[in-house]
Amino acid sequence: DGRIWIPTRQGLAVIEPRKVRLNTAPVPVAIESVRANRRDIRLAGTPASLEPGSGRLLEFGFTAVSLVGAERIRFCYRLEGYHTDWSPETSLRQAFYTNLKPGAYKFRVVACNPHGICNSTETALAFEIHPYLHETLWFRALAGAAIIAAVALFFLRRVRRIRRMASLEEAQRLAAERTRIARDMHDELGAS
C-alpha cells in the first residue's frame, strides 16, 4: 500500500508518503547586518546613507526563519543599480560587493523553503553611497571651468604676445625704412 515501516527502539514508525504534504508557507527573510570595509553600519533612515568610500567592500548578512530544514533554505539576491539579474540560488547567508561607485542602490533578497517554494515578497534595503568631494558633479564642473579659463587665459596671453611682437616688428621695419630714406636723402644731398 506504499507505506514505509521503520523499526525503532520504541516500536515501529510508519510513514505514508501520499499523506506527506509540501510546506507551501513562504519563509520570511530578514537583513541582519550591513558591513562596509569590514566595519558594521548602523542602518538609520530610508534610504540609508553610507559615507564616501563605503563601496570598496560591502557585505550583507541575511537570514530566514524556519523551524523545519533551516539548513536547506535557499536564497536569491540582487543589487539594483549594480546588476539586474538575480543571483543563482545559494545556501550562503551573505552577499559581497566590491568597488561600488557612489550612487543609489537597493539590495533585494528572497528565500525558498526546503520544498522549493519561494516567497513572493522580497526583503529590500535601499541605501546611498555618498561621493568624495572630487567625485561630485559640481566639483568636476568647477574643475572643467578652471581648466577652460586657464586655457583661455594662456591663449589670450599668447595672442597679445604675438600682436605685440608683430607691432614691434612693424615699428622696427618702419624705423629701418626711415633710416634708409634718411640715408638716401643724405647721400643725395652730399652728392649734389
Side-chain angles (χ1 to χ4, degrees):
D1 66 355
R3 289 187 285 182
I4 301 172
W5 297 74
I6 302 170
T8 65
R9 289 186 182 173
Q10 286 81 23
L12 282 174
V14 179
I15 299 175
E16 292 187 49
R18 291 182 299 223
K19 291 187 179 180
V20 175
R21 298 187 187 262
L22 290 179
N23 182 3
T24 59
V27 181
V29 181
I31 298 173
E32 292 183 310
S33 65
V34 177
R35 296 184 65 172
N37 302 327
R38 305 198 190 280
R39 290 190 343 242
D40 288 332
I41 300 296
R42 196 175 287 224
L43 300 174
T46 303
S49 291
L50 303 181
E51 62 187 34
S54 297
R56 273 187 290 143
L57 175 61
L58 204 56
E59 306 171 36
F60 295 93
F62 45 87
T63 190
V65 180
S66 176
L67 300 176
V68 179
E71 68 281 351
R72 295 184 309 179
I73 294 176
R74 312 290 286 172
F75 298 93
C76 290
Y77 55 86
R78 72 177 175 180
L79 184 61
E80 286 182 3
Y82 183 68
H83 57 75
T84 56
D85 296 332
W86 287 92
S87 70
E89 284 189 3
T90 180
S91 60
L92 295 176
R93 295 167 189 258
Q94 286 185 316
F96 298 92
Y97 294 95
T98 57
N99 299 324
L100 295 177
K101 295 183 179 354
Y105 297 94
K106 192 174 222 180
F107 179 72
R108 298 177 180 270
V109 62
V110 295
C112 298
N113 69 13
H115 295 289
I117 308 297
C118 295
N119 57 356
S120 59
T121 58
E122 48 196 45
T123 301
L125 172 68
F127 63 96
E128 181 179 359
I129 299 175
H130 293 286
Y132 285 111
L133 176 65
H134 65 276
E135 295 174 324
T136 59
L137 182 61
W138 66 267
F139 180 84
R140 290 179 182 173
L142 188 62
I147 290 171
I148 290 171
V151 168
L153 183 64
F154 174 76
F155 180 73
L156 288 175
R157 283 188 177 178
R158 179 100 170 122
V159 167
R160 280 187 195 156
R161 190 175 298 141
I162 289 171
R163 285 183 181 164
R164 190 169 29 152
M165 292 295 286
S167 68
L168 286 174
E169 286 175 0
E170 180 68 25
Q172 189 178 17
R173 196 171 48 80
L174 277 172
E177 184 66 22
R178 285 182 186 150
T179 305
R180 186 189 62 78
I181 291 173
R183 193 174 343 126
D184 287 347
M185 286 174 68
H186 183 269
D187 287 347
E188 282 179 21
L189 287 175
S192 57

